[in-house]
Amino acid sequence: MLLIDEIDKSDTEFEAFLLEVLSDFQVSVPELGTIKARHVPLVVLTSNNAREMSDALKRRCLHLFIDFPDRAQELEIVRLKVPGVSERLAADVVSVVHRIRKLDLKKAPSISETLDWARALTLLNVKTLDEQLVSETLSTILKYEGDIRKAQQELKEYVELQRAKLKAPRAQSDKDVLH
């Protein structure tokens, strides 16, 4: 078995090299000669769509799209992978991440980033999220400044909408409306 993770981040020369492996089950290395597979290899390629793959490579592959899990599945993943996370914090983190993923972002937060955020907040002994804490820690799940600004604006609008729904006075804590 051969795993090539994030093939879309490789250059086109590597893609040509990979085509030789996939078509002939062998590879030519100038310093070593030709190396042939003893068995037909099972090759798994992953991609985040950073760039379009060539038609020749796509023709040799079966495509499987794996979307983000729904809230319930992701909540189970957080509970399983982040020991000590409070139920409320896990639910808050998953809810915020799912809301942020709906935005037009350069890079949506992955499941591993959800886990990183939940771990970091757990290490900080956080039990629930509030607007300020989310704003201060968004860089854990978002890697581009433009994405962080979009998320901050979205969450600000969300908190204001929740306040209006609750018909709460302006002085009410964001802790009660963020989740």
Side-chain angles (χ1 to χ4, degrees):
M1 175 181 251
L2 173 64
L3 168 65
I4 301 175
D5 195 23
E6 297 185 359
I7 184 69
D8 54 322
K9 301 221 172 103
S10 68
D11 54 25
T12 54
E13 289 81 12
F14 180 77
E15 206 172 307
F17 168 80
L18 183 59
L19 285 172
E20 180 183 0
V21 172
L22 294 175
S23 66
D24 301 332
F25 309 118
Q26 67 182 24
V27 63
S28 298
V29 179
E31 295 82 8
L32 301 174
T34 300
I35 302 168
K36 291 186 176 194
R38 290 187 186 143
H39 308 285
V40 175
L42 175 62
V43 181
V44 177
L45 308 175
T46 68
S47 171
N48 294 323
N49 289 329
R51 73 170 174 88
E52 193 68 27
M53 304 283 69
S54 71
D55 288 337
L57 182 61
K58 287 192 277 188
R59 217 177 11 258
R60 288 167 175 80
C61 298
L62 296 175
H63 181 259
L64 173 65
F65 174 76
I66 301 173
D67 204 355
F68 292 111
D70 63 26
R71 286 176 196 251
Q73 289 174 314
E74 193 158 7
L75 185 56
E76 284 302 312
I77 293 168
V78 170
R79 287 180 187 136
L80 178 69
K81 297 289 187 177
V82 185
V85 67
S86 74
E87 278 300 311
R88 182 150 179 204
L89 179 62
D92 287 352
V93 164
V94 169
S95 291
V96 169
V97 168
H98 275 256
R99 186 163 191 90
I100 289 171
R101 282 186 187 140
K102 292 178 183 174
L103 300 174
D104 181 24
L105 302 173
K106 190 170 184 177
K107 184 193 177 302
S110 67
I111 298 165
S112 66
E113 288 157 337
T114 302
L115 294 172
D116 290 345
W117 196 27
R119 281 187 196 107
L121 294 169
T122 299
L123 288 171
L124 293 171
N125 293 317
V126 172
K127 299 298 178 204
T128 62
L129 292 179
D130 61 53
E131 187 177 10
Q132 181 180 352
L133 183 63
V134 170
S135 184
E136 291 171 352
T137 60
L138 272 177
S139 61
T140 307
I141 59 171
L142 297 171
K143 306 305 176 189
Y144 296 95
E145 189 60 33
D147 289 352
I148 291 170
R149 281 195 299 273
K150 283 180 188 176
Q152 286 171 330
Q153 183 60 36
E154 169 65 20
L155 293 171
K156 181 179 177 184
E157 291 170 8
Y158 175 71
V159 167
E160 289 171 5
L161 179 65
Q162 292 303 102
R163 275 196 193 114
K165 283 182 181 177
L166 294 172
K167 297 186 193 278
R170 188 79 178 152
Q172 181 178 356
S173 169
D174 292 334
K175 289 180 184 179
D176 296 332
V177 295
L178 184 60
H179 54 276

